[in-house]
Amino acid sequence: MNSPNLASGPRAWRARALAVLASLGLALGLLLGLPAVSQAAGSLPCDIYAAAGTPCVAAHSVTRALLSSYNGPLYQVTRVSDGATADIGLVGGYADAAAQDAFCANSGGCRITKIYDQSGRHNDLKPGPAGTAGMGNDRGADASEIAVTAGGHKVYGVWISPGVGYRYTGVASGVAVNGQPEGAYMVASGTHVGSACCFDYGNAESTPADTGNGHMDAVSIATTCYFAPCTGNGPWVEADLENGMFQGDNGSNTANQGNKSTFVTAVLKNNGQTRYALKGGNSQTGGLSTWWDGALPTRGGYQPMHQEGGIILGIGGDNSNWNRGTFFEGVMVSGYPTDAAENAVQANIVSVGYSGQTDVPNGPQGTVTGPGGKCVDVAADDTGVNGAAVQLWDCQTYAEDQHWTHNPDGSLSTLGRCLDIENNGTAGGAKLELWDCNGVGGQKWVQQADGSLLNPQSGRCLDSPSGATANGTRLQIWDCNGAAAQKFGLS
């Protein structure tokens, strides 16, 4: 058995004492309403964990530095228009959102194509490969889909929609394998959530395949009640240990009340042999609630664990990428963290002052509203492959595929592709689809004074056949006639 606290002697005692003092000091400041110093040297999450003897082996954030000595890039963005890339670094310890805005402006947008590891181990995350779940390669998140505030700075989150996900494929440096102890946390949305598989962050298979119970050790926040009964409707902080989203012991845990705050700190630690713990808290205020601290599942394969040392974000171990969520920061550590260290990390997170909505896209995109007040939508739930049907559907604030960017060349894009006419057609009745942006005439749309959207190449307008308003109505082009079936408003 791996004990959670094997270190001894003066140095280890001093490290534990420092972690406790850090926790008490930060907590006292919060209670007294004193000004928080969010980026003080030595007080960031990886500093706190290292002082407690459980150093970060992976640290990913698109909002801020997680280690006081780190001054490298946080993430990389790639422009849709020309494939050019730029690293987004730090200004005063926080992401340089202005640099991203300048680079991505008037280009059809950008995608986040790499999230850098701040631990020094180069465990960087990139869009993941196809896996045994049957989904194709993951795509990078729209870089400007969701903006919030951290430390008084505008920053962007990682908006996870179905089809978006990241992975370190292989065995990441220092990450636990074969029953070694580890811990992890992430700050994510408690409002942009779903029940599908899987919005995870943490240890996963080294290849995108389900290799059996105990081969994953990732923290999740979702409305997935995998083992009934569950209390309320969630979302719950859960442990994805492969083939189960566990809230405690063998799955169900009615003591888990869930975490519904706008920003949630989700914490998981696992000694790899017999014990794991789950905690959750509001990332804007207060401390952590312990939802489980006890035995690993006895279902078979979990005692001991069989972690493989891969890293995932926003997906499951087999690349199940059907869920949604919003990610801001997270780390993985070597060893079983102390409660004092986790409390100090939570106090530091609170001191950052995260604010804003986390469930509504607020970037440069807008909706296109058509007949019946329905939204122009891409079939197949945000997956956005070439040839996906474009249709009418009930407007949903969280649906990425209903938020379109009106580009300088007259195209409309979402999910990294453009609103397109099948085969670049011009005939009346030609169907609308999603396709790679390529500048052809079938991808140009001009708003007219009467509220219609004209495709200049064909001389025809975006149209709902016979003025239909039902969900799933496939859109087409048709002779412009000023009818209600051709009224499409850009917002």
Side-chain angles (χ1 to χ4, degrees):
M1 172 179 174
N2 289 309
S3 171
N5 290 297
L6 296 178
S8 61
R11 182 172 295 178
W13 177 88
R14 181 175 178 272
R16 289 194 294 271
L18 285 172
V20 172
L21 288 173
S23 175
L24 290 174
L26 286 167
L28 181 61
L30 291 169
L31 287 172
L32 295 178
L34 299 176
V37 181
S38 61
Q39 298 291 341
S43 68
L44 302 187
C46 287
D47 303 320
I48 294 166
Y49 279 123
T54 51
C56 289
V57 293
H60 303 104
S61 175
V62 293
T63 62
R64 64 171 181 143
L66 300 176
L67 181 71
S68 59
S69 61
Y70 188 75
N71 196 33
L74 296 181
Y75 58 99
Q76 179 189 84
V77 295
T78 299
R79 278 198 299 240
V80 172
S81 60
D82 61 4
T85 63
D87 286 341
I88 306 302
L90 295 160
V91 174
Y94 292 89
D96 187 356
Q100 174 183 316
D101 290 341
F103 180 78
C104 299
N106 300 319
S107 66
C110 285
R111 295 213 162 265
I112 298 173
T113 46
K114 183 186 294 184
I115 304 174
Y116 289 99
D117 171 24
Q118 301 179 29
S119 76
R121 292 179 174 270
H122 304 290
N123 293 327
D124 304 332
L125 300 178
K126 300 179 182 179
T132 57
M135 302 298 290
N137 295 336
D138 297 324
R139 68 180 188 276
D142 187 316
S144 60
E145 193 84 31
I146 183 76
V148 298
T149 300
H153 298 253
K154 174 187 174 182
V155 295
Y156 289 103
V158 182
W159 181 272
I160 301 290
S161 295
V164 174
Y166 297 86
R167 193 178 201 107
Y168 182 97
T169 304
V171 181
S173 173
V175 174
V177 295
N178 298 323
Q180 293 175 328
E182 65 181 337
Y185 85 83
M186 71 170 164
V187 174
S189 173
T191 53
H192 180 220
V193 294
S195 61
C197 186
C198 298
F199 181 68
D200 292 350
Y201 173 70
N203 198 324
E205 289 90 347
S206 58
T207 58
D210 179 350
T211 52
N213 294 357
H215 285 248
M216 287 182 61
D217 186 29
V219 65
S220 172
I221 179 164
T223 55
T224 311
C225 182
Y226 197 97
F227 297 104
C230 300
T231 297
N233 298 315
W236 303 278
V237 176
E238 303 175 301
D240 188 345
L241 306 180
E242 191 57 283
N243 299 317
M245 306 295 290
F246 292 85
Q247 295 186 21
D249 197 6
N250 278 324
S252 175
N253 176 17
T254 55
N256 190 335
Q257 302 292 312
N259 292 86
K260 299 181 179 181
S261 53
T262 304
F263 297 84
V264 173
T265 308
V267 181
L268 168 66
K269 58 184 174 183
N270 189 332
N271 76 1
Q273 302 294 309
T274 60
R275 175 186 177 192
Y276 80 112
L278 283 168
K279 301 179 182 182
N282 185 335
S283 303
Q284 296 176 293
T285 186
L288 297 170
S289 297
T290 299
W291 297 127
W292 178 257
D293 188 353
L296 279 164
T298 57
R299 292 175 175 270
Y302 303 103
Q303 294 192 28
M305 295 288 292
H306 306 280
Q307 312 102 304
E308 296 185 26
I311 305 175
I312 54 173
L313 169 60
I315 56 176
D318 59 358
N319 195 42
S320 295
N321 58 8
W322 302 298
N323 210 349
R324 60 182 186 266
T326 310
F327 173 89
F328 301 99
E329 64 176 74
V331 311
M332 300 170 65
V333 306
S334 175
Y336 197 83
T338 64
D339 291 337
E342 291 168 338
N343 291 339
V345 168
Q346 167 66 0
N348 172 259
I349 292 167
V350 169
S351 77
V352 168
Y354 276 111
S355 63
Q357 283 186 274
T358 62
D359 61 339
V360 178
N362 57 9
Q365 310 89 347
T367 56
V368 182
T369 308
K374 299 293 178 73
C375 278
V376 176
D377 174 278
V378 181
D381 195 16
D382 288 349
T383 50
V385 298
N386 276 338
V390 175
Q391 60 187 9
L392 292 178
W393 201 269
D394 292 333
C395 297
Q396 300 165 319
T397 57
Y398 57 80
E400 183 182 354
D401 63 355
Q402 293 181 359
H403 288 77
W404 299 82
T405 300
H406 204 164
N407 301 308
D409 67 353
S411 63
L412 289 165
S413 61
T414 187
L415 306 175
R417 293 186 167 92
C418 279
L419 180 64
D420 180 273
I421 302 171
E422 281 188 344
N423 300 314
N424 201 30
T426 60
K431 303 300 184 185
L432 274 291
E433 64 180 0
L434 203 66
W435 200 267
D436 290 331
C437 300
N438 53 27
V440 299
Q443 295 182 354
K444 310 297 184 184
W445 304 94
V446 180
Q447 185 84 66
Q448 303 297 292
D450 67 356
S452 60
L453 273 176
L454 171 71
N455 172 243
Q457 175 177 271
S458 66
R460 292 186 166 89
C461 286
L462 183 63
D463 180 272
S464 176
S466 302
T469 60
N471 281 344
T473 298
R474 182 79 180 270
L475 298 176
Q476 62 180 12
I477 55 171
W478 197 258
D479 293 339
C480 300
N481 54 33
Q486 295 182 354
K487 306 298 185 185
F488 288 86
L490 301 175
S491 63

